[in-house]
Amino acid sequence: MKFICTALIVSMALSAQSQITGASSHLNIGDNLAIEGYDPVSYFNGKKPVKGNTDYQYDHMGATYRFANSGNMDSFKANPEKYMPVYGGWCAYAMGATGDKVEVDPETFKIIDDKLYLFYNFFFNNTLKDWNKDEASLKQKADKNWRMLISE
């Protein structure tokens, strides 16, 4: 019985690690920089995104995150999953509508259930507005599409 429990725990840990590795290979990062250098904690603290500082940066899952101050960096280090953008930082609307990885405007965002969602907002096309019209359905589809993407 002890062997079965140990095997189950190891299997669950490997599965979780596989999902993390799969997700990290799909992060929206340019030159390994997440959220175009915006401080992920600032979306929650000040309700407004703030550019991070190169003096405060931290590498997590293959991406470099920048922070406005050491307190924000410490908060992120303590619980990165709380602050990392959903869907690897790709446009939430596009992930729900088509399952595609589409660039975002880091200043176009929404906090849902204490999670950060980012959206495309260029060339007179703000996808946050479309997301808000059908959020429940799009979120469900985006969750499914993201799970399929990271399991490939």
Side-chain angles (χ1 to χ4, degrees), residues 43-139:
Y43 289 87
F44 297 86
N45 289 352
K47 306 297 183 203
K48 179 182 176 204
V50 174
K51 277 280 198 178
N53 185 318
T54 56
D55 291 340
Y56 306 106
Q57 56 185 36
Y58 177 69
D59 293 337
H60 181 70
M61 290 179 55
T64 299
Y65 291 86
R66 289 188 180 156
F67 305 91
N69 55 56
S70 62
N72 283 7
M73 185 170 69
D74 291 342
S75 294
F76 183 88
K77 284 180 178 181
N79 190 1
E81 286 72 28
K82 174 180 178 166
Y83 300 106
M84 291 172 58
V86 177
Y87 314 129
W90 298 104
C91 175
Y93 173 81
M95 189 59 61
T98 63
D100 291 329
K101 296 189 283 187
V102 172
E103 292 296 329
V104 297
D105 170 6
E107 294 188 6
T108 306
F109 71 99
K110 185 171 186 177
I111 304 293
I112 305 167
D113 297 328
D114 214 26
K115 294 288 184 187
L116 173 60
Y117 292 76
L118 300 172
F119 297 89
Y120 178 92
N121 185 8
F122 302 99
F123 306 111
F124 308 106
N125 185 11
N126 182 347
T127 61
L128 175 57
K129 292 177 182 178
D130 295 324
W131 173 272
N132 286 334
K133 292 176 187 173
D134 193 17
E135 181 175 282
S137 175
L138 286 165
K139 185 179 177 317

Side-chain angles (χ1 to χ4, degrees), residues 6-23 150:
T6 302
L8 181 60
I9 290 170
V10 168
S11 173
M12 289 170 51
L14 289 174
S15 175
Q17 182 60 41
S18 174
Q19 285 185 345
I20 289 170
T21 302
I150 64 173

